[in-house]
Amino acid sequence: MTLNVEKELSELKAKVGDIPGAENKLTMIVFSGDLDKQLAAMIIATGAAAMGMKVVLFFTFWGTAALRDPGKHVNGKNFMGKMFGMMLPKGRNKLKLSQMHMAGMGTAMLKGLMQKKNVASMDQLLDVAGQLAVKIYVCEMSMDLMGFKKEEMIDYPGLEICGVATMLSHAKESAIQFFI
Amino acid sequence: MTLNVEKELSELKAKVGDIPGAENKLTMIVFSGDLDKQLAAMIIATGAAAMGMKVVLFFTFWGTAALRDPGKHVNGKNFMGKMFGMMLPKGRNKLKLSQMHMAGMGTAMLKGLMQKKNVASMDQLLDVAGQLAVKIYVCEMSMDLMGFKKEEMIDYPGLEICGVATMLSHAKESAIQFFI
Amino acid sequence: MTLNVEKELSELKAKVGDIPGAENKLTMIVFSGDLDKQLAAMIIATGAAAMGMKVVLFFTFWGTAALRDPGKHVNGKNFMGKMFGMMLPKGRNKLKLSQMHMAGMGTAMLKGLMQKKNVASMDQLLDVAGQLAVKIYVCEMSMDLMGFKKEEMIDYPGLEICGVATMLSHAKESAIQFFI
């Protein structure tokens, strides 16, 4: 009888030990470079971190442009890198809304409203995220494609460049995943 | 021997009790106000509910505009609230496609096709969702930012205003999460 | 004592057996027909498959257009089917970027860069996906709405048409889900 119980117990242990998606963790792919979506991502990220969840963000494609530091200049870029550098918004304060941008009016209106209503700005959200140990990864392939270099990214504690496999291994362990 | 089994069993119980993402539940963030994405969200939501899943929707940002009732008028809005009220589509029947809108032609074409092919409209999908007890939350911060009031929202059984923490606590328990 | 252990063990077994989202599997809804998002979806899909995850893709709405084979012609379409057929991009090599398309320049620029940097094209990604047994479903309702027929879809091993319920039953079992 006891032997049987032990066998079942060890089978169950193996099964439980193997369950993916079982960590109190949120992994989010931040693909969009639109201001509204970046704000949504950071509000969700800081909210989850404040609730005690581990939070991992993976900035890719248009999203990477938001992490550029407008005060940093990088030399030695090739022609394509320079073109992407010019055409994409330089940092989080140059992002536009996905809708109703209206030549800047909608975007300015939202920023004004956010200030009035005490909704945190991208700067404040990144600051809080850093304090709450939200992990930020930047997609290696996107950086390479757009000719961005690590030296032109913002100073964020623990910011790392990684590939899609690192992101997926976090996502697999996470209770929540979003693609934004 | 038996003692050991009991210890292992209690450890395992604690671990299993703690597994997040383990409920037969779907949590969806409806961020987009585009007709095509709202339809996708409602088709997924009613499909999941029909399969016996608990379904929780969290309408935020542009998505909130779809839940306004065009027949309801609210007084006492400030200037910004009035502007957002005018500029955003008033309710689910004014939404446009994210692509191929073509000055209304594409959107009208899709609506005509849906009727012909017996695909449910937003009105019908919301009606079915209500009957299947799909829970609808509206994002408090978005309502506040856009100056929307609860009185101008549609009559939907159990519609509630909540913050991001409520959404996350549902998402964490859910087997499926989407950001649309 | 032993009896109690057995009871608890069987309760625990039932609970573990019932946990959704517990498979080493990724389910992705590919809603967007934008080149950048389709590339992201295929890079994530092939990356996950290479890591040993089961991968299920569900192409719906604008996403379905990417799976059309430009070399296949289908007769007997009605007027609406012909119109959608003409207005939507015919296959993966006609997709455009969601941003910075700039009358084809941005899209061509990205394709040129990808080639130079040895990033796989849509053709190569679909080829790898097929070899790694990534499962591709196409949404029945979208095919019906847009008047697409199975005969005009690409030759992909195991490509199947299915409804939202099939997608949801895969998503429910999956450790990771994304809506792209």
Side-chain angles (χ1 to χ4, degrees), chain A residues 135-153:
Chain A
K135 177 78 184 178
I136 292 186
Y137 286 107
V138 190
C139 170
E140 194 171 16
M141 192 193 281
S142 302
M143 297 274 290
D144 190 34
L145 260 179
M146 298 185 176
F148 292 163
K149 308 201 174 200
K150 210 194 161 187
E151 306 90 77
E152 58 187 312
M153 295 286 130

Side-chain angles (χ1 to χ4, degrees), chain A residues 91-160:
Chain A
R92 60 206 176 281
N93 295 319
K94 296 286 184 198
L95 305 179
K96 298 168 184 173
L97 292 181
S98 65
Q99 292 182 24
M100 242 181 60
H101 175 62
M102 301 181 304
M105 204 184 87
T107 301
M109 203 170 121
L110 179 72
K111 286 186 183 174
L113 261 182
M114 285 172 57
Q115 202 161 18
K116 206 177 132 200
K117 301 271 185 185
N118 285 319
V119 176
S121 68
M122 275 304 281
D123 278 351
Q124 291 167 316
L125 286 166
L126 276 166
D127 195 36
V128 173
Q131 285 169 37
L132 292 174
V134 168
K135 177 78 184 178
I136 292 186
Y137 286 107
V138 190
C139 170
E140 194 171 16
M141 192 193 281
S142 302
M143 297 274 290
D144 190 34
L145 260 179
M146 298 185 176
F148 292 163
K149 308 201 174 200
K150 210 194 161 187
E151 306 90 77
E152 58 187 312
M153 295 286 130
I154 55 167
D155 294 314
Y156 182 90
L159 184 138
E160 263 181 85

